[in-house]
Amino acid sequence: MFKQLSILTFSLLIATHLTAAQPTSTNTNDVIPKGNTQIQQSFSLKSKYTNHEYLIQISLPTGEVPTQGFPVLYLLDGNATFESAANIAKSVGTGANRLGLSPVAIIAIGYPEQSTFDVQKRALDYTSKASNEFQKQAKYQYGGADQFIQFIEKELKPIINSRFKVNPQQQSLFGHSFGGLFVLHSLFTQPENFQRYIAASPSLWFDNYTLLNKQTDWLKNKNDETQNIMLMTTVGTHEQRKNTTPNDESVQKQNDFYQKFNKHRSAQFLFWNYKHPAEQHITNLYASLPKAVMLAGCQTPNCSNLFDEPTIPTF
């Protein structure tokens, strides 16, 4: 059974604010001093692909750097998720060996001068191009997901890789709502970018459930022989879109979406779907972070032990 993890209420922040995105020289083999603090940094980065400026917040584990480098968890909606995720990673890190985990580096992608969510920018960055009919009825501009992928892969990751020793074979992506939609879009279009994906409350309804067709194509064409992938999805049992009433058809589409993944589960494609009791749409964001940190850090043989439902013996 999955054990709940408490979130620490505060942490001491050691911040380094950089005025440019150029990496500074770092000896990635150094031992990070042990103590009660995390090593945290932040900088702003303007993307030529999206034309947006991003606030990048980083939290590194204390102690010796693993031989293969730190596992990395990239978080979307970084303004809202960074502090909670960093505290969870710090708390989980104290019992990492017992749980079969490696300490996790947190890389949060947010927007400058925002306390939580930049609704307009995330709507563009986290969504794929929508149909003309759907876009005409929308409040915000959609369709920047592919450019946002380019930003992560060609601008952000090279900086992270140059400054810190990270494990290129254990990189995870977490997103919620539109962010969860982006996580799944990334999986379906460029699955090689990450090895582990966590989509919390993904906005499957977007563009009249067009993502369901992309799922069908991906499951048909994925090659288990070339890449091992882990996917985790979560939803709250009390989620409901604003000013909408769930109908049988939409509920069935969402259930079918998760069941299709489950039917294709294999040693090369591990999948978990969690329904979090009593969680609303926004609260499921924070209910999902402990699992995201643990999935990002679990050593491969132990991941199934952590997340699979326990087998109840029969007598």
Side-chain angles (χ1 to χ4, degrees), residues 88-107:
I88 293 168
K90 178 182 176 182
S91 180
V92 171
T94 61
N97 290 333
R98 179 177 58 84
L99 295 171
L101 303 172
S102 297
V104 176
I106 304 295
I107 312 293

Side-chain angles (χ1 to χ4, degrees), residues 124-137:
L124 178 60
D125 282 343
Y126 298 171
T127 60
S128 58
K129 184 174 176 59
S131 63
N132 291 334
E133 180 181 357
F134 190 83
Q135 181 63 70
K136 287 179 181 178
Q137 301 174 6

Side-chain angles (χ1 to χ4, degrees), residues 213-238:
N213 295 327
K214 296 179 181 179
Q215 179 200 37
T216 300
D217 293 340
W218 183 77
L219 289 173
K220 180 180 179 181
N221 297 316
K222 72 183 180 71
N223 189 347
D224 286 340
E225 296 180 359
T226 60
Q227 184 182 9
N228 293 331
I229 290 176
M230 299 183 191
L231 171 64
M232 179 180 291
T233 56
T234 71
V235 294
T237 58
H238 287 57

Side-chain angles (χ1 to χ4, degrees), residues 56-74:
I56 309 302
Q57 299 180 84
I58 302 167
S59 179
L60 295 176
T62 58
E64 187 174 355
V65 180
T67 303
Q68 295 179 322
F70 289 119
V72 182
L73 175 59
Y74 284 85

Side-chain angles (χ1 to χ4, degrees), residues 266-290:
S266 67
Q268 290 73 38
F269 175 59
L270 297 181
F271 171 69
W272 301 273
N273 180 49
Y274 289 96
K275 294 183 178 180
H276 290 155
E279 298 295 350
Q280 305 285 338
H281 184 68
I282 186 61
T283 62
N284 189 54
L285 165 61
Y286 298 99
S288 303
L289 284 175

Side-chain angles (χ1 to χ4, degrees), residues 24-33 60-70 160-167:
T24 58
S25 59
T26 302
N27 184 349
T28 57
N29 293 317
D30 284 348
V31 174
I32 298 174
L60 295 176
T62 58
E64 187 174 355
V65 180
T67 303
Q68 295 179 322
F70 289 119
I160 299 302
N161 295 341
S162 69
R163 294 184 58 196
F164 310 108
K165 186 174 182 180
V166 296
N167 187 344

Side-chain angles (χ1 to χ4, degrees), residues 61 65 84 124 152 178 245 269 282 290 315:
V65 180
S84 294
L124 178 60
I152 295 175
F178 271 168
T245 301
F269 175 59
I282 186 61
F315 299 96

